[in-house]
Amino acid sequence: MDGDLGDFLRSRRARIQPEEVGLPSYGRRRVPGLRREEVAQLAGVSVDYYIRLEQGRGPGGPSRTKSGGVSDTVLDAVARVLCLDETERAYLHAVARPRRPSGRPAAPRVRPGVQLLLDSMERTPAFVLDVRMDVLAWNALADAVFDYDRIAPDARNIPRHVFLDPASRTFYPDWPAVAVQCVAHLRVRAGHHQDDRRLTALVGELSLKSDDFRRLWADHPVRECAFGVKRIQHPVAGLLTFPYETMALPADPDQNLLVYTPEPASETTERLALLGSWTSASTVPEPTERA
């Protein structure tokens, strides 16, 4: 995705104050954060080299060098100056040296063994995501919570649901945090899969249709969402609080298993069991009007 490297470096420069890296601050600056010249000085590269890197005109950009692009040493030095965390550092390496297109990617498929694993999880909602955050497979409880069996395949995409479905703002009581988390996770995937045309198309669609997505994407958040807690306001079961864990599938590196793990004996566990029993009996009641 054109411009990602420069946008990322500029966003990270803006958050670092000169005194944080041992530089004197000479009064008020026109723009926040470090200047490009200061980053170059601290990273031990020439100003022209760093400017070309940030503008995408040199190593790692459209005009790649004969040596194959910017070195690990330079990228690590820039990462150190900009105080990048582990995820941001990996993202920097990915966008500075994108993979070459490998042809039209095959449609992702979930192995039968993974589906059996999902189905064996009878007390926890679980599903599999690909790099676009499409939901590829799920178990019965995940269907009870998200209704995946009854919605169109295109709607089984978490970013589309979060940003294009007005009901998501009620479904997720903490919608602003969920939105940031969603974009940060998608940014990581986009950085490592710049040759994925379907992912590029998804970002373009969301940028065109959602002002919130476009603003958050421009902020360039980069964060793995390996675990945490998510709250869901289910139309039948009420408020559900789910700690969750995300695990990569070793044999399918572009797929992640996401498991919601409610606390034992919690109200969420009780409501989930009741919701599951309703779903199994195919008698899920309509939401009742609350006083």
Side-chain angles (χ1 to χ4, degrees):
M1 298 179 188
D2 294 340
D4 279 359
L5 176 58
D7 290 344
F8 178 67
L9 290 173
R10 285 187 289 272
S11 71
R12 292 325 186 251
R13 274 199 294 118
R15 73 182 187 182
I16 303 296
Q17 298 305 312
E19 53 269 21
E20 295 179 51
V21 291
L23 291 177
S25 179
Y26 298 107
R28 189 171 183 177
R29 296 186 169 214
R30 289 184 302 171
V31 294
L34 296 177
R35 300 185 178 97
R36 290 180 296 188
E37 294 81 0
E38 292 167 336
V39 175
Q41 174 190 344
L42 293 169
V45 298
S46 71
V47 175
D48 180 68
Y49 185 98
Y50 179 78
I51 291 175
R52 289 173 64 84
L53 177 65
E54 191 170 288
Q55 293 180 344
R57 296 187 292 109
S63 304
R64 294 173 63 85
T65 64
K66 293 182 180 180
S67 63
V70 61
S71 70
D72 286 342
T73 301
V74 170
L75 292 177
D76 288 339
V78 171
R80 172 182 51 79
V81 172
L82 299 180
C83 302
L84 303 187
D85 62 25
E86 184 177 346
T87 301
E88 292 171 324
R89 184 183 295 262
Y91 178 84
L92 173 62
H93 279 260
V95 296
R97 293 185 302 209
R99 298 186 300 184
R100 296 192 176 195
S102 54
R104 187 179 181 87
R109 300 180 63 181
V110 172
R111 292 182 295 109
V114 174
Q115 185 63 62
L116 286 173
L117 175 63
L118 289 171
D119 293 338
S120 71
M121 300 179 183
E122 299 179 350
R123 299 183 180 180
T124 57
F127 48 91
V128 174
L129 299 176
D130 68 3
V131 296
R132 298 196 330 146
M133 301 177 73
D134 283 333
V135 181
L136 304 180
W138 54 90
N139 65 3
L141 276 184
D143 184 49
V145 174
F146 296 100
D147 210 21
Y148 287 136
D149 280 342
R150 297 170 182 79
I151 60 179
D154 283 350
R156 298 178 197 142
N157 174 270
I158 292 178
R160 277 202 187 98
H161 172 59
V162 170
F163 289 99
L164 303 184
D165 184 353
S168 70
R169 295 173 186 261
T170 301
F171 190 73
Y172 296 111
D174 307 309
W175 188 89
V178 170
V180 172
Q181 182 185 67
C182 183
V183 171
H185 183 80
L186 198 63
R187 264 289 186 192
V188 173
R189 296 293 170 261
H192 289 275
H193 297 84
Q194 295 183 66
D195 59 339
D196 190 317
R197 296 178 182 178
R198 295 173 68 242
L199 179 53
T200 301
L202 174 65
V203 171
E205 174 192 357
L206 294 172
S207 298
L208 181 65
K209 296 180 179 179
S210 170
D211 292 339
D212 289 310
F213 180 86
R214 187 165 56 250
R215 172 180 54 80
L216 289 172
W217 190 257
D219 288 343
H220 225 114
V222 175
R223 186 170 68 252
E224 290 280 8
C225 303
F227 60 90
V229 177
K230 187 163 290 184
R231 296 196 308 153
I232 290 172
Q233 184 64 46
H234 193 273
V236 172
L239 183 63
L240 304 172
T241 302
F242 289 117
Y244 66 86
E245 297 286 339
T246 304
M247 294 157 279
L249 298 175
D252 305 287
D254 290 341
Q255 296 179 9
N256 287 324
L257 173 65
L258 197 152
V259 183
Y260 285 166
T261 55
E263 297 289 343
S266 66
E267 191 172 37
T268 292
T269 296
E270 295 174 1
R271 292 178 175 181
L272 191 62
L274 185 58
L275 182 61
S277 67
W278 283 337
T279 304
S280 297
S282 299
T283 57
V284 180
E286 293 294 326
T288 57
E289 187 173 315
R290 297 185 180 181

